[in-house]
PDB file of all heavy atoms in Angstrom:
ATOM      1  N   VAL Q 572      44.365-123.021 128.289  1.00  0.00           N
ATOM      2  CA  VAL Q 572      43.956-122.365 127.007  1.00  0.00           C
ATOM      3  C   VAL Q 572      45.116-121.538 126.430  1.00  0.00           C
ATOM      4  O   VAL Q 572      45.199-121.558 125.175  1.00  0.00           O
ATOM      5  CB  VAL Q 572      42.738-121.379 127.356  1.00  0.00           C
ATOM      6  CG1 VAL Q 572      43.197-120.318 128.354  1.00  0.00           C
ATOM      7  CG2 VAL Q 572      42.194-120.698 126.125  1.00  0.00           C
ATOM      8  N   CYS Q 573      46.035-121.138 127.215  1.00  0.00           N
ATOM      9  CA  CYS Q 573      47.321-120.520 126.518  1.00  0.00           C
ATOM     10  C   CYS Q 573      48.260-121.535 126.023  1.00  0.00           C
ATOM     11  O   CYS Q 573      48.837-121.307 124.941  1.00  0.00           O
ATOM     12  CB  CYS Q 573      48.002-119.716 127.686  1.00  0.00           C
ATOM     13  SG  CYS Q 573      47.180-118.172 128.205  1.00  0.00           S
ATOM     14  N   CYS Q 576      47.152-122.407 122.741  1.00  0.00           N
ATOM     15  CA  CYS Q 576      46.698-121.350 121.878  1.00  0.00           C
ATOM     16  C   CYS Q 576      47.644-121.192 120.636  1.00  0.00           C
ATOM     17  O   CYS Q 576      48.860-121.323 120.734  1.00  0.00           O
ATOM     18  CB  CYS Q 576      46.811-120.038 122.683  1.00  0.00           C
ATOM     19  SG  CYS Q 576      46.514-118.542 121.717  1.00  0.00           S
ATOM     20  N   VAL Q 578      48.409-118.623 118.966  1.00  0.00           N
ATOM     21  CA  VAL Q 578      49.274-117.439 118.945  1.00  0.00           C
ATOM     22  C   VAL Q 578      50.205-117.425 120.230  1.00  0.00           C
ATOM     23  O   VAL Q 578      50.747-116.316 120.578  1.00  0.00           O
ATOM     24  CB  VAL Q 578      48.491-116.100 118.749  1.00  0.00           C
ATOM     25  CG1 VAL Q 578      47.901-116.178 117.375  1.00  0.00           C
ATOM     26  CG2 VAL Q 578      47.540-115.799 119.901  1.00  0.00           C
ATOM     27  N   ARG Q 579      50.324-118.466 120.891  1.00  0.00           N
ATOM     28  CA  ARG Q 579      51.085-118.555 122.102  1.00  0.00           C
ATOM     29  C   ARG Q 579      52.584-118.051 121.866  1.00  0.00           C
ATOM     30  O   ARG Q 579      53.097-117.220 122.604  1.00  0.00           O
ATOM     31  CB  ARG Q 579      51.151-119.921 122.684  1.00  0.00           C
ATOM     32  CG  ARG Q 579      52.066-119.965 123.973  1.00  0.00           C
ATOM     33  CD  ARG Q 579      52.122-121.460 124.429  1.00  0.00           C
ATOM     34  NE  ARG Q 579      53.142-121.548 125.545  1.00  0.00           N
ATOM     35  CZ  ARG Q 579      53.369-122.747 126.065  1.00  0.00           C
ATOM     36  NH1 ARG Q 579      52.755-123.773 125.814  1.00  0.00           N
ATOM     37  NH2 ARG Q 579      54.367-122.755 126.906  1.00  0.00           N
ATOM     38  N   CYS Q 582      52.413-114.359 122.096  1.00  0.00           N
ATOM     39  CA  CYS Q 582      51.800-113.698 123.239  1.00  0.00           C
ATOM     40  C   CYS Q 582      52.344-114.251 124.562  1.00  0.00           C
ATOM     41  O   CYS Q 582      52.672-113.382 125.436  1.00  0.00           O
ATOM     42  CB  CYS Q 582      50.331-114.049 123.188  1.00  0.00           C
ATOM     43  SG  CYS Q 582      49.396-113.435 124.620  1.00  0.00           S
ATOM     44  N   HIS Q 583      52.575-115.505 124.677  1.00  0.00           N
ATOM     45  CA  HIS Q 583      53.024-116.061 125.890  1.00  0.00           C
ATOM     46  C   HIS Q 583      52.289-115.691 127.107  1.00  0.00           C
ATOM     47  O   HIS Q 583      52.803-115.538 128.310  1.00  0.00           O
ATOM     48  CB  HIS Q 583      54.527-115.758 126.103  1.00  0.00           C
ATOM     49  CG  HIS Q 583      55.420-116.559 125.070  1.00  0.00           C
ATOM     50  ND1 HIS Q 583      55.497-117.865 125.106  1.00  0.00           N
ATOM     51  CD2 HIS Q 583      56.275-116.013 124.123  1.00  0.00           C
ATOM     52  CE1 HIS Q 583      56.337-118.290 124.157  1.00  0.00           C
ATOM     53  NE2 HIS Q 583      56.771-117.124 123.513  1.00  0.00           N
ATOM     54  N   GLY Q 584      51.017-115.353 126.901  1.00  0.00           N
ATOM     55  CA  GLY Q 584      50.095-114.969 128.099  1.00  0.00           C
ATOM     56  C   GLY Q 584      50.335-113.605 128.608  1.00  0.00           C
ATOM     57  O   GLY Q 584      49.870-113.202 129.663  1.00  0.00           O
ATOM     58  N   LEU Q 601      44.209-116.463 133.432  1.00  0.00           N
ATOM     59  CA  LEU Q 601      44.000-116.013 132.059  1.00  0.00           C
ATOM     60  C   LEU Q 601      44.162-114.554 132.018  1.00  0.00           C
ATOM     61  O   LEU Q 601      43.673-113.818 132.820  1.00  0.00           O
ATOM     62  CB  LEU Q 601      42.680-116.522 131.517  1.00  0.00           C
ATOM     63  CG  LEU Q 601      42.429-116.054 130.078  1.00  0.00           C
ATOM     64  CD1 LEU Q 601      43.482-116.742 129.107  1.00  0.00           C
ATOM     65  CD2 LEU Q 601      41.016-116.352 129.560  1.00  0.00           C
ATOM     66  N   ASN Q 602      44.896-114.097 130.984  1.00  0.00           N
ATOM     67  CA  ASN Q 602      45.180-112.679 130.819  1.00  0.00           C
ATOM     68  C   ASN Q 602      43.784-111.903 130.480  1.00  0.00           C
ATOM     69  O   ASN Q 602      43.116-112.294 129.659  1.00  0.00           O
ATOM     70  CB  ASN Q 602      46.211-112.366 129.673  1.00  0.00           C
ATOM     71  CG  ASN Q 602      46.816-111.032 129.836  1.00  0.00           C
ATOM     72  OD1 ASN Q 602      46.047-109.964 129.729  1.00  0.00           O
ATOM     73  ND2 ASN Q 602      48.084-110.983 129.990  1.00  0.00           N
ATOM     74  N   CYS Q 605      43.351-111.205 126.825  1.00  0.00           N
ATOM     75  CA  CYS Q 605      43.453-112.387 126.015  1.00  0.00           C
ATOM     76  C   CYS Q 605      42.684-112.207 124.715  1.00  0.00           C
ATOM     77  O   CYS Q 605      43.154-112.475 123.563  1.00  0.00           O
ATOM     78  CB  CYS Q 605      42.928-113.693 126.705  1.00  0.00           C
ATOM     79  SG  CYS Q 605      42.810-115.043 125.680  1.00  0.00           S
ATOM     80  N   TYR Q 608      44.498-109.947 122.388  1.00  0.00           N
ATOM     81  CA  TYR Q 608      45.721-110.438 121.679  1.00  0.00           C
ATOM     82  C   TYR Q 608      45.413-111.509 120.684  1.00  0.00           C
ATOM     83  O   TYR Q 608      46.026-111.628 119.598  1.00  0.00           O
ATOM     84  CB  TYR Q 608      46.696-110.954 122.851  1.00  0.00           C
ATOM     85  CG  TYR Q 608      47.358-109.843 123.621  1.00  0.00           C
ATOM     86  CD1 TYR Q 608      47.337-109.688 124.888  1.00  0.00           C
ATOM     87  CD2 TYR Q 608      48.039-108.826 122.827  1.00  0.00           C
ATOM     88  CE1 TYR Q 608      47.910-108.693 125.600  1.00  0.00           C
ATOM     89  CE2 TYR Q 608      48.608-107.823 123.419  1.00  0.00           C
ATOM     90  CZ  TYR Q 608      48.493-107.707 124.853  1.00  0.00           C
ATOM     91  OH  TYR Q 608      49.133-106.666 125.537  1.00  0.00           O
ATOM     92  N   LYS Q 609      44.387-112.379 121.058  1.00  0.00           N
ATOM     93  CA  LYS Q 609      44.077-113.435 120.075  1.00  0.00           C
ATOM     94  C   LYS Q 609      43.662-112.821 118.739  1.00  0.00           C
ATOM     95  O   LYS Q 609      44.089-113.157 117.680  1.00  0.00           O
ATOM     96  CB  LYS Q 609      42.971-114.311 120.707  1.00  0.00           C
ATOM     97  CG  LYS Q 609      43.094-115.722 120.389  1.00  0.00           C
ATOM     98  CD  LYS Q 609      42.070-116.613 121.206  1.00  0.00           C
ATOM     99  CE  LYS Q 609      42.722-117.468 122.124  1.00  0.00           C
ATOM    100  NZ  LYS Q 609      41.855-118.287 122.924  1.00  0.00           N
TER     101      LYS Q 609
HETATM  102  S1  SF4 W 946      46.105-114.991 123.208  1.00  0.00           S
HETATM  103 FE1  SF4 W 946      45.063-115.600 125.089  1.00  0.00          FE
HETATM  104  S2  SF4 W 946      45.112-117.803 125.158  1.00  0.00           S
HETATM  105 FE2  SF4 W 946      46.553-117.069 123.659  1.00  0.00          FE
HETATM  106  S3  SF4 W 946      48.503-117.037 124.677  1.00  0.00           S
HETATM  107 FE3  SF4 W 946      47.617-114.975 124.839  1.00  0.00          FE
HETATM  108  S4  SF4 W 946      46.526-114.842 126.662  1.00  0.00           S
HETATM  109 FE4  SF4 W 946      46.801-117.090 126.258  1.00  0.00          FE
END
Side-chain angles (χ1 to χ4, degrees):
V572 61
C573 290
C576 173
V578 297
R579 174 182 172 181
C582 176
H583 289 297
L601 181 62
N602 197 299
C605 172
Y608 287 126
K609 217 172 245 179

